[in-house]
Amino acid sequence: MPEVRSFFHAKINAIIPPPVAPSVVLTAPDVDTEDEVGALRPSPGTIEHAEGQSFVLHYKDADGNISARSVSVWAIRHTDAGIPVLVARCYLRKATRYFRVDRIEAVADFDGVVIVPTSKFLADTFGVRWPPSKAELAAAAEVQMRWSRLRTICRENGAALLTAVGLADGELVPDEVGAILDFVGKCCRRVSFDCGERENDRLRLYIRRLRPTPELIDRAVDHMAQSDPATVVETLSACVRVMEADGHIHPAERKMLDGFSQAMTGLPLQYP
């Protein structure tokens, strides 16, 4: 087992930081707490009518501070939890800000007339229904439950090990990500989990953003060591497939992984 740990630790030590485009400046907002929302996903459907819709928001930020903001909305996004967010030009801050609809206290025209109810205004103007119905809440809970289950499958079946060997010689290329997805797909089918197209897209992004830590590698190795021989062979064989995906595997590394398989299970690797 120490040799297996050392092999994968060496892989993560070779991982370089992910590249950031020169035009991207990473900053923390000085004022609007949590109004800079990350990991937003597009709203379903077309939302061209959102562009330029202008009004005044009475908005409560994450710290409970209420302010009046003159805004022009140009897009709708959602948080990972499914909460709609108005992407708007804030004329008070003279910058783009993100306003979660669950923190909007009231909406008014520029002449000061309050538009009520706020839920009807959001539905009529942007096609956003908030608060969601019980059926929508149940559907969102189901999505999150399935995503949690999918991440557990990844964690318990060594996806971190495959990602580590793929990242060791640079950024994950599409073929390497595809090889990891193929492996996760087999693991899902083994436990009768049907992974949908949207979940596959989310998983692809999850894998591309994953940077395994030594602790994560140790847990993955320990879990693999407690698995049945067929699972160990399948996991180590998948590591070879990932390493071969970009054509940069060294024969000695393939031989080393085969030796790990023989030592742990008495069985050779199975590839291609």
Side-chain angles (χ1 to χ4, degrees):
M1 287 296 293
E3 296 84 0
V4 179
R5 293 182 193 277
S6 297
F7 175 84
F8 286 105
H9 278 217
K11 291 298 181 183
I12 63 171
N13 289 335
I15 296 174
I16 60 175
V20 178
S23 61
V24 176
V25 179
L26 303 178
T27 60
D30 294 326
V31 182
D32 299 322
T33 305
E34 291 190 14
D35 281 358
E36 304 285 352
V37 180
L40 295 176
R41 54 186 174 83
S43 172
T46 57
I47 51 171
E48 289 84 2
H49 58 281
E51 296 184 4
Q53 294 290 313
S54 302
F55 42 84
V56 178
L57 288 178
H58 291 256
Y59 188 75
K60 180 186 290 186
D61 66 18
D63 293 331
N65 303 311
I66 297 179
S67 59
R69 309 292 190 91
S70 298
V71 301
S72 292
V73 181
W74 57 269
I76 310 294
R77 295 291 183 265
H78 285 74
T79 67
D80 282 342
I83 300 171
V85 177
L86 307 184
V87 183
R89 172 72 178 180
C90 175
Y91 294 101
L92 176 64
R93 299 299 183 213
K94 296 181 173 62
T96 298
R97 287 291 184 267
Y98 303 94
F99 299 98
R100 289 171 43 145
V101 300
D102 60 333
R103 293 179 182 161
I104 296 175
E105 297 287 298
V107 178
D109 286 331
F110 285 119
D111 59 7
V113 177
V114 176
I115 306 170
V116 292
T118 302
S119 58
K120 186 176 187 303
F121 168 78
L122 292 171
D124 291 346
T125 308
F126 305 113
V128 169
R129 288 179 293 182
W130 193 265
S133 65
K134 290 183 178 180
E136 290 168 328
L137 286 172
E142 173 70 13
V143 168
Q144 288 305 108
M145 183 180 69
R146 286 181 58 83
W147 176 240
S148 177
R149 175 62 176 143
L150 185 53
R151 290 180 62 187
T152 299
I153 291 172
C154 289
R155 184 170 57 251
E156 293 181 350
N157 288 277
L161 302 178
L162 275 66
T163 305
V165 298
L167 283 168
D169 56 2
E171 186 179 3
L172 281 175
V173 300
D175 285 347
E176 291 172 321
V177 175
I180 298 172
L181 287 173
D182 287 344
F183 171 74
V184 174
K186 290 179 181 178
C187 296
C188 288
R189 289 190 292 273
R190 191 164 59 230
V191 295
S192 301
F193 183 89
D194 183 20
C195 191
E197 183 177 350
R198 180 171 292 184
E199 289 166 327
N200 266 324
D201 291 341
R202 191 174 184 182
L203 181 60
R204 188 182 304 274
L205 288 174
Y206 173 79
I207 290 170
R208 289 180 62 86
R209 292 170 181 157
L210 185 61
R211 294 298 183 275
T213 63
E215 293 77 16
L216 188 59
I217 290 296
D218 286 344
R219 287 199 296 270
V221 170
D222 287 341
H223 198 281
M224 180 175 64
Q226 295 168 11
S227 302
D228 60 88
T231 299
V232 174
V233 172
E234 185 178 23
T235 303
L236 294 176
S237 298
C239 287
V240 173
R241 293 189 188 94
V242 172
M243 296 169 73
E244 288 180 332
D246 65 353
H248 291 129
I249 185 173
H250 194 282
E253 291 184 315
R254 186 189 295 109
K255 184 177 180 180
M256 186 178 299
L257 285 168
D258 190 66
F260 294 158
S261 180
Q262 296 274 6
M264 296 174 71
T265 70
L267 300 170
L269 296 182
Q270 296 177 356
Y271 64 90

